[in-house]
Amino acid sequence: MIGLQPLLLGIPWMDPHWLLQNFHTEFVWIGLFIVFIECGLFFPFLPGDTLLFSVGLFVATDELSLASGPNLLGLLVGCVAFTVAALLGNIAGYEIGRWIGPPVRRHDGRIVKKKYLDRTVEFFEKHGSQALVIGRFVPFVRTYVTLVAGVSEMNRFKFWLWSLVGALLWVVSITCLGYFLGSTFPWLSDKIDWVILGLLVLTVIPIGFEWRRQRREEAASRS
């Protein structure tokens, strides 16, 4: 069945139900790969939030088994596996950023300005840990914040620590939300397309607030 989300995006594999029905047990490995890519390799349009929510929902409704035993054990296994995938994705993006950072920072181009990178370094010295944790919950930011941290040469130990904190909070909160909603309202499994659409709307809200805040600051600086 092609649901609401694929119809909106034009890509059937963006629907977790489609992935589960077509790949069965391989669904988890595909999900881990998607989370890894989204968290570090510059593809911000992948369905990380919706996958995590769907994993929790599928485990709660017995559509997906991640461990032999109670569903709570499967939930724990899923949270650990996806936290590791998210952390490894961040590390990959960070190391790529460190690798390309020196030549990028030496070259004052039209798009990548040296002064902007210098400001980014200053930003991460003051707010790096907060950006890594909160940025997990914001699409696009989740994908690129690790690259910027690498380009800015943020302390590696600090990056690893707060990336782990962010990955853990992101994965556990969204996966457990799907699990407990699925346990309480099993019929949500048949309405998952609408649930996912709601999640997509919610993830856009922080972007809207940030865009509005920047517009106000720019207007204030011009006045």
Side-chain angles (χ1 to χ4, degrees):
M1 179 182 69
I2 301 300
L4 175 65
Q5 185 189 12
L7 287 176
L8 289 174
L9 300 176
I11 308 173
W13 55 263
M14 294 289 279
D15 183 356
H17 242 149
W18 185 89
L19 289 174
L20 182 64
Q21 292 171 358
N22 284 272
F23 295 97
H24 308 292
T25 55
E26 288 77 15
F27 164 78
V28 176
W29 295 105
I30 294 172
L32 290 170
F33 182 70
I34 288 175
V35 167
F36 172 82
I37 294 295
E38 186 191 14
C39 288
L41 299 184
F42 325 132
F43 289 91
F45 298 101
L46 295 176
D49 293 317
T50 58
L51 265 174
L52 295 177
F53 182 89
S54 299
V55 166
L57 181 63
F58 294 157
V59 170
T61 55
D62 297 316
E63 295 181 72
L64 179 66
S65 177
L66 297 179
S68 57
N71 286 345
L72 279 175
L73 179 59
L75 176 66
L76 176 61
V77 171
C79 286
V80 171
F82 279 95
T83 297
V84 171
L87 176 62
L88 292 178
N90 267 19
I91 292 173
Y94 172 82
E95 294 300 334
I96 292 173
R98 284 187 72 99
W99 179 57
I100 68 174
V104 169
R105 293 179 66 180
R106 285 194 301 267
H107 179 68
D108 191 16
R110 293 183 178 180
I111 298 177
V112 182
K113 294 286 188 180
K114 187 177 185 300
K115 64 178 181 179
Y116 297 154
L117 290 172
D118 290 340
R119 289 176 186 173
T120 305
V121 173
E122 182 180 351
F123 172 80
F124 271 96
E125 287 177 351
K126 294 181 179 179
H127 309 291
S129 58
Q130 182 182 10
L132 288 170
V133 174
I134 298 177
R136 281 284 187 181
F137 295 87
V138 183
F140 296 93
V141 174
R142 176 168 58 245
T143 301
Y144 292 108
V145 69
T146 56
L147 174 69
V148 174
V151 171
S152 303
E153 297 184 355
M154 182 179 184
N155 177 270
R156 187 176 271 108
F157 175 78
K158 183 179 180 181
F159 173 82
W160 279 44
L161 174 63
W162 290 105
S163 289
L164 175 60
V165 172
L168 192 61
L169 289 175
W170 178 56
V171 171
V172 171
S173 62
I174 296 181
T175 307
C176 287
L177 177 64
Y179 179 86
F180 290 113
L181 285 178
S183 299
T184 307
F185 309 105
W187 50 266
L188 281 177
S189 180
D190 296 327
K191 305 292 184 181
I192 192 170
D193 294 322
W194 292 100
V195 175
I196 289 173
L197 180 62
L199 284 174
L200 289 173
V201 172
L202 287 176
T203 57
V204 169
I205 291 175
I207 299 176
F209 276 115
E210 179 63 19
W211 176 81
R212 187 175 180 182
R213 184 186 65 81
Q214 290 182 357
R215 289 291 299 271
R216 286 180 175 177
E217 291 181 354
E218 291 175 359
S221 64
R222 289 194 297 266
S223 61

